[in-house]
Each structure stands twice: as structure tokens, then as C-alpha cells.
Amino acid sequence: MTAIVSGSASQALSAALASELDCPLAAVEYDRFPDGELLAAVPGFDADRAVVVASTTSHAAHLELLLLQDALHEAGAEEVVTVLPYMGYARQDRAFESGQPISSRAVARAISTGADRVLTVSPHEEGVCEFFEPTAEVVDAAPVLADPLPDDLADPVFLAPDEGAVGIAETVRDTYGSGEIDHFDKHRLSGDSVEITPSDADVAGRDVVVADDIIATGSTMSEAVEVLHDREVARVFATCVHPLLAGNAYTKLAASGVEAIYGTDTIEGPATAASVAPVLAEHLSAD
Ligand code: R5P
């Protein structure tokens, strides 16, 4: 029997996945030691196979995942599958300056020690999967980004804010059914500021869906939205797999005049509008 074990940042997704796979959700209990250290336990766990679903959106979530994996092995699980809907530190995939760590490799190694198998959803660079042992499997969530879009988009353009996101824009367009593909070019000036070079596509009076893998500080998306409004678009929808929305990203985007901000439940929050549970269930059922 398989049971789904939820990390605290992935509860709605875990419940949806349990429903898709028709398997139980295991009980997870938390406690704190007097010194503040966490205890994450799976009392009464008795399945052979555990699927732990945990977005590692914070240091606490990383640690909680390691504790849950260990608790499951202690409880006798024969196989512990770890699903990282959102993998924290995945964008630090190289040492950018001498003396820096390859942070994604460090966390992948730690997570691998407690996992027989790892799945991760739409990572920014698939190369990070090789830091896991065995190599992590990629589940592409881009098709579900079409789910929340209105079905009356006017002569739509599916736009990637940079060339790297064109594949996502194409998948969303293909799933939606029709529309033009275009992309801007982006130059990152700092961690929270970017410069966008628009294309010469005629977007006036048309609805535009800007699709990306992640909205972090919101700088990329809000710059793209402002450029589009300068070109007199009709409506702009911002969509991404991982709505991280750090700091003031949500309000920054709302202020830029976006019609709606859509993301998936890899990060549960104010922009969650689509679930990756069906694509995860399909991947897990294909074994
Ligand atoms: C970068 O290449 C990614 O695809 C995203 O465009 C980027 O990480 C978004 O970050 P932010 O929201 O901080 O601009």
C-alpha cells in the first residue's frame, strides 16, 4: 500500500494527490523540544511505500523533509519516494564566484540520503536533477497552466519574458488550443531588477498571456506587463508554475496592471489557481 505524507508547505497538493491516486494521507504530527528544535513524526504509519510531498520553500521546510524521510524509514517504509513540487535552492546551480557552494547540489545530496526516488516539478534548470542520487525525475507542469485561463482570450499572444521560457509559453498555447508565440529578451541588472527588450510583435488590442517558470521578486513579470501596456494590449495575464512571490512581488505585479496572476500549487498561496496533482499522479502511476 502507498500512503501520501505531506510536508507542511504542501498540504492542499498532498490531499489532491491522495485523491488522484486513491490512497490514504498519513498522519503527520509536529512538536518542539524546549530548545526550539523540531520533531516531525508519522505516528501509526504502516504503508510499504511512502510518497512524501514537500515543497522546500524555507529552511524549516528543508529540515522538516529530512526528518519526515527519516521517520518513514524508522516506521518501516520499504520505499520512500520524495516529491519536491518546488525545490528550494535549485537556482543556485553553480558557484557564481570563487568560494561559493553549489547550493542545489548540497541540498540534493542531503535529500537523496533519505529517498529511494525523487521527483521534481518543472525545475528552472534540469541539470540540478543530476545532483540527486539516483537522478531526480522531472514532471512538466506547464500543461496545467492553461486551466485557469478564460476561454474567451482575444486573438491571444503567449509570451515568454525571455528566450528560456519559450517552451513553457508554447506548451500553454498548445494546451489552450490557439494563439501566437512570441518572446522578449531580458537582461538581469540585479537580484530584483531586470531590463526587458520587447519584440516588435503587434500586441495592440490583443490579450497577452506572459508565461514563465517562476515569479520570484516579480521584477521580470512586472517589467513585461508594463512594456505590454505601453503597447496598448487588451488584457495581460501572468502565469507561472512556481508562484513564489517573494516580498512585495504580488502587490508589485498587481500595481503593474495585470488582469490576473495564476500559478500552481507547487507553492500554495494567493496565486494558486491550478493543481499539479494530475500530472504527478500520471507520472507516479506510470511505474
Ligand atoms: C529566470 O530566468 C526565470 O525564468 C524567471 O524569469 C525569474 O527567476 C523570475 O524572477 P523574478 O520574479 O525575480 O524576476
Side-chain angles (χ1 to χ4, degrees):
M1 183 183 69
T2 297
I4 306 296
V5 182
S6 175
S8 53
S10 299
Q11 297 180 58
L13 173 55
S14 296
L17 183 61
S19 167
E20 288 279 342
L21 292 172
D22 195 20
C23 57
L25 263 175
V28 178
E29 286 182 4
Y30 300 99
D31 207 346
R32 291 268 169 199
F33 290 98
D35 58 4
E37 290 180 350
L38 178 67
L39 182 68
V42 286
F45 186 86
D46 65 353
D48 316 315
R49 182 174 182 249
V51 176
V52 195
V53 183
S55 282
T56 48
T57 47
S58 65
H59 297 162
H62 270 108
L63 183 64
E64 181 194 307
L65 170 59
L66 301 182
L67 299 181
L68 286 174
Q69 289 174 319
D70 203 68
L72 289 161
H73 284 294
E74 274 297 300
E78 285 166 22
E79 185 185 16
V80 176
V81 179
T82 297
V83 177
L84 299 170
Y86 173 74
M87 177 190 168
Y89 285 87
R91 287 176 297 160
Q92 294 180 32
D93 59 349
R94 70 198 71 167
F96 297 96
E97 286 173 25
S98 116
Q100 291 185 350
I102 300 176
S103 306
S104 51
R105 184 180 62 191
V107 300
R109 284 176 175 165
I111 291 167
S112 294
T113 61
D116 298 291
R117 186 177 166 196
V118 176
L119 277 59
T120 188
V121 178
S122 299
H124 179 62
E125 292 287 350
E126 292 197 6
V128 296
C129 294
E130 286 167 24
F131 293 145
F132 292 89
E133 177 55 49
T135 298
E137 299 155 46
V138 171
V139 178
D140 179 16
V144 311
L145 296 180
D147 293 352
L149 293 174
D151 50 19
D152 64 347
L153 292 176
D155 194 11
V157 179
F158 291 81
L159 180 87
D162 57 36
E163 204 169 354
V166 168
I168 296 174
E170 285 176 342
T171 302
V172 182
R173 187 274 312 272
D174 293 349
T175 314
Y176 182 76
S178 64
E180 192 182 329
I181 298 292
D182 196 12
H183 73 86
F184 286 171
D185 287 310
K186 179 174 83 178
H187 174 58
R188 186 165 284 283
L189 303 171
S190 69
D192 62 359
S193 112
V194 300
E195 192 175 73
I196 292 278
T197 308
S199 70
D200 52 13
D202 182 11
V203 292
R206 303 170 73 180
D207 286 336
V208 178
V209 178
V210 189
D212 207 350
D213 59 333
I214 179 169
I215 302 175
T217 66
S219 310
T220 302
M221 213 40 111
S222 56
E223 279 292 316
V225 173
E226 280 169 22
V227 165
L228 288 164
H229 279 306
D230 288 345
R231 283 163 174 67
E232 298 181 343
V233 288
R235 297 176 294 179
V236 186
F237 297 87
T239 187
C240 70
V241 176
H242 306 297
L244 189 62
L245 296 166
N248 64 351
Y250 192 96
T251 48
K252 184 158 67 176
L253 255 179
S256 72
V258 76
E259 183 78 15
I261 308 164
Y262 298 134
T264 77
D265 51 3
T266 64
I267 298 175
E268 298 174 4
T272 300
S275 180
V276 300
V279 288
L280 282 173
E282 193 181 336
H283 190 98
L284 288 163
S285 307
D287 305 340

